[in-house]
Amino acid sequence: MQEYAKPLPIPNEDTKEFWEGCKRHELLIQRCPECHIYRFYPSSLCPKCMSAQAEWARVSGRGHIYSYAIGRHVRSPAWADAVPYILGIIELEEGVRMMSNVVECKPEEAWIGMPVEVVFEDVTPEITLPKFRPRKEGASG
Amino acid sequence: MSIKNKVAIVGIGETKVGKLPGRDPITIQAEAIRLALEDAGLTNKDVDCLLAKGLMDEPEFMQSTHLFEYLGMHPKITSCMDAGGASPCLMAMTAASLINAGLCEVAVCVEGENDATFVRRQEGVGMSRVSEESENVYGFIAAPVSYAMAARRHMHEFGTTGEQLAAIAVAMRKHACLNENATMRTPITIEDVMNSRWIAEPLHLLDCCLVSDGGGAFVVTTAERARNLKKRPVYILGAAAQMTHNRISQSPNPTHPGAWDAAPRVYEMAGVGPKDIDVAEIYDCFTITVLEQLEAYRFCGRGEGGRFVEGGRIELGGELPVNTHGGLLSQAHIDGMLHVVEGVRQVRGEGGARQVPNAEIALVTGNGGILSTHTSLILARG
């Protein structure tokens, strides 16, 4: 199997549970037990009320494209096989936003507001990346 | 309490820009400082504060202390600052505040690096460790991809077109053609920009800034001391800053950057409005960056930036000349330092072939990260 050459996340104290969830194909987002807002990226403090506590919620993975760009310029060899790729800011139903790829979608077919759902890509035995594919409105996860 | 009219910029320095193989940040910065002090009619012995932009390519522990030692200075105060391209204006307002507080009297602010000829030890290293973790893994390779997302939102919300963005690149190039110390000096058309290859759609190659070697510096002192130096002082009338996020996914709104909040504050401190600005040196890492700041600084309404930049309005001879030096897009990427230098030059009347007639008041802005940090200054002729 060809070695995965693209950058990989290094799970840390804040993100460990997130990445373990991805391995199980679960999208886990932190929620503040005090003020109840969801937050992403995972962190040890609530950005709204500064509570040092966190709960992890398994979310549906449904969201929409908030914005996107089409990467066409190969700046490093690891990305040569990926272009053109869709890099997107995905807004989840829970209101948080994250950067990811939009997959199973031609670049010219993406649009701001397009409904998407999470899919998981097992890129190495240790790391699974959450990505997003087009979803039919009304379809449940 | 206000710094308005209490401090002045009295010296500017600019190295050759482009590719400077064999040089390194310390020699580039030292040269910029030597030129700025010469311009001010001051020496290293006069300087009691040294502020430097933190190095981007190869950060160095306590870098500004190495720099002042190299320059034979023994300042009261030194520090590196890093708010990305917002740093030069941030250094100016910091120097102004320290001087105004009586903590020092003559401050030098510098930025210089060899980003074009620097040999990276690692491929694909992101803007920061936090970016590597959460963005590089998906293909955020460098800033263009994220600014492209801001551009796409602006197009979606307001109907801004690629041709309108291209008009900004055309204007910057026109100005660079008049600047002997600019990297790109062949005129371009809107068609040329639209035909240049995609970097990250919807941004073309010519929508994106250069990667450059080079540096610049400026000297700040009290208004009183400035009046006794050889050149006409350039007063800092106002300064403001607003930071909003680090990563673009965390931006409250990529089409509404921190500039929207900073603009009224800098105008209020300076006691002027958009109509009083004779020339604007606006941080231009990408064409979309300029467009959004023109709206934020109320030169036009929100969403009207595309129409504003059409028809040569931001070119020399137009209503509001922008980036008379050619900017990051066509002169060189010196992190916004040369925007401060050019603003001073214009207000002094030293712009030569690219002088805006009777320029008395200049707006200078800084922007860092992905529309993450924002700073601005309003400068006035003494």
Side-chain angles (χ1 to χ4, degrees):
Chain A
M1 179 173 150
Q2 203 176 11
E3 201 189 312
Y4 188 75
K6 299 177 180 64
L8 286 166
I10 302 170
N12 61 26
E13 180 188 340
D14 281 337
T15 63
K16 202 159 85 77
E17 287 186 61
F18 174 79
W19 292 115
E20 282 169 8
C22 287
K23 253 178 106 168
R24 297 192 303 270
H25 290 200
E26 293 172 4
L27 191 62
L28 302 179
I29 304 293
Q30 281 174 320
R31 194 165 195 192
C32 176
E34 291 187 32
C35 75
H36 306 298
I37 63 149
Y38 289 94
R39 66 176 183 264
F40 194 81
Y41 294 90
S43 65
S44 58
L45 290 178
C46 175
K48 187 169 179 210
C49 75
M50 291 278 281
S51 167
Q53 299 178 66
E55 290 166 348
W56 289 94
R58 183 177 176 186
V59 301
S60 68
R62 286 192 298 272
H64 67 269
I65 295 179
Y66 177 76
S67 192
Y68 68 100
I70 300 166
R72 292 187 184 274
H73 174 60
V74 181
R75 195 172 149 181
S76 86
W79 294 93
D81 64 351
V83 293
Y85 57 88
I86 304 172
L87 187 66
I89 298 171
I90 308 300
E91 185 169 307
L92 299 178
E93 283 181 344
E94 290 74 19
V96 297
R97 293 185 192 147
M98 59 190 296
M99 189 177 276
S100 186
N101 296 119
V102 179
V103 296
E104 298 174 33
C105 177
K106 292 201 188 86
E108 57 274 14
E109 286 171 0
W111 47 280
I112 288 181
M114 184 171 95
V116 294
E117 63 190 1
V118 71
V119 288
F120 293 94
E121 211 170 287
D122 303 321
V123 295
T124 71
E126 294 80 33
I127 294 289
T128 295
L129 296 179
K131 301 198 176 178
F132 292 82
R133 69 175 171 211
R135 157 176 69 92
K136 280 199 174 61
E137 268 302 19
S140 48
Chain B
M1 287 302 284
S2 169
I3 57 169
K4 180 179 177 177
N5 281 324
K6 302 278 186 53
V7 294
I9 299 178
V10 296
I12 48 175
E14 175 178 321
T15 70
K16 285 263 171 291
V17 299
K19 284 192 166 57
L20 309 172
R23 302 197 67 187
D24 63 46
I26 197 116
T27 66
I28 293 170
Q29 291 180 15
E31 181 187 337
I33 292 173
R34 179 177 61 74
L35 292 169
L37 288 173
E38 235 168 57
D39 186 58
L42 293 168
T43 73
N44 55 344
K45 304 304 176 220
D46 296 304
V47 177
D48 58 1
C49 174
L50 177 65
L51 300 177
K53 160 128 188 333
L55 297 177
M56 180 171 59
D57 294 320
E58 207 167 34
E60 194 182 305
F61 181 60
M62 292 173 70
Q63 190 252 338
S64 66
T65 64
H66 177 195
L67 183 59
F68 76 62
E69 180 185 272
Y70 189 101
L71 289 159
M73 293 175 177
H74 305 281
K76 295 187 175 75
I77 298 173
T78 194
S79 190
C80 287
M81 310 189 81
D82 183 13
S87 302
C89 292
L90 185 64
M91 287 192 280
M93 69 182 77
T94 303
S97 304
L98 291 169
I99 290 167
N100 200 34
L103 292 165
C104 63
E105 195 178 303
V106 179
V108 170
C109 303
V110 65
E111 193 280 344
E113 222 166 328
N114 54 335
D115 199 29
T117 54
F118 173 77
V119 176
R120 284 188 189 285
R121 284 185 234 150
Q122 267 192 81
E123 253 314 318
V125 170
M127 291 173 66
S128 65
R129 193 183 303 175
V130 69
S131 173
E132 279 172 43
E133 293 280 318
S134 54
E135 297 183 319
N136 284 27
V137 298
Y138 302 108
F140 167 93
I141 291 175
V145 187
S146 280
Y147 277 88
M149 288 199 257
R152 194 173 291 280
R153 277 300 304 184
H154 207 279
M155 291 170 165
H156 171 78
E157 284 182 40
F158 306 112
T160 303
T161 66
E163 285 84 355
Q164 288 169 334
L165 291 177
I168 296 170
V170 167
M172 311 292 91
R173 180 63 64 93
K174 223 177 198 172
H175 300 161
C177 288
L178 298 168
N179 184 354
E180 276 174 21
N181 193 28
T183 311
M184 306 300 280
R185 305 191 65 209
T186 312
I188 55 176
T189 63
I190 289 178
E191 209 184 328
D192 291 330
V193 180
M194 300 297 286
N195 289 335
S196 63
R197 65 185 163 88
W198 292 119
I199 296 297
E201 194 175 334
L203 294 180
H204 297 92
L205 176 68
L206 293 176
D207 285 302
C208 303
C209 56
L210 301 166
V211 173
S212 314
D213 297 340
F218 55 88
V219 185
V220 191
T221 190
T222 60
E224 198 183 307
R225 189 142 178 201
R227 285 191 275 276
N228 298 320
L229 292 172
K230 66 181 190 183
K231 287 203 175 167
R232 157 169 238 170
V234 173
Y235 293 110
I236 296 179
L237 274 195
Q242 183 63 58
M243 316 304 180
T244 47
H245 58 277
N246 174 295
R247 289 166 288 190
I248 192 176
S249 66
Q250 311 299 296
S251 162
N253 186 344
T255 67
H256 194 273
W260 279 90
D261 297 300
R265 292 200 284 266
V266 75
Y267 284 135
E268 194 188 317
M269 187 187 291
V272 304
K275 295 226 177 317
D276 302 305
I277 305 297
D278 298 313
V279 59
E281 313 298 354
I282 298 200
Y283 195 89
D284 57 330
C285 46
F286 300 92
T287 49
I288 183 66
T289 321
V290 178
L291 194 145
E292 291 194 5
Q293 289 175 84
L294 289 170
E295 293 178 1
Y297 277 84
R298 280 55 168 198
F299 294 117
C300 61
R302 179 149 164 71
E304 293 174 3
R307 277 192 296 283
F308 186 79
V309 299
E310 286 173 332
R313 201 177 264 113
I314 60 169
E315 295 177 9
L316 279 163
E319 190 182 309
L320 178 76
V322 171
N323 293 349
T324 50
H325 51 333
L328 306 179
L329 288 167
S330 281
Q331 181 195 23
H333 192 313
I334 312 292
D335 255 326
M337 174 56 80
L338 297 189
H339 290 56
V340 178
V341 167
E342 181 73 1
V344 170
R345 199 180 267 131
Q346 284 286 338
V347 162
R348 277 178 176 178
E350 293 177 350
R354 55 189 201 268
Q355 179 65 47
V356 173
N358 305 314
E360 287 186 19
I361 299 182
L363 170 70
V364 181
T365 76
N367 163 94
I370 315 295
L371 301 161
S372 312
T373 60
H374 180 83
T375 48
S376 62
L377 304 171
I378 292 181
L379 306 175
R381 183 192 291 178

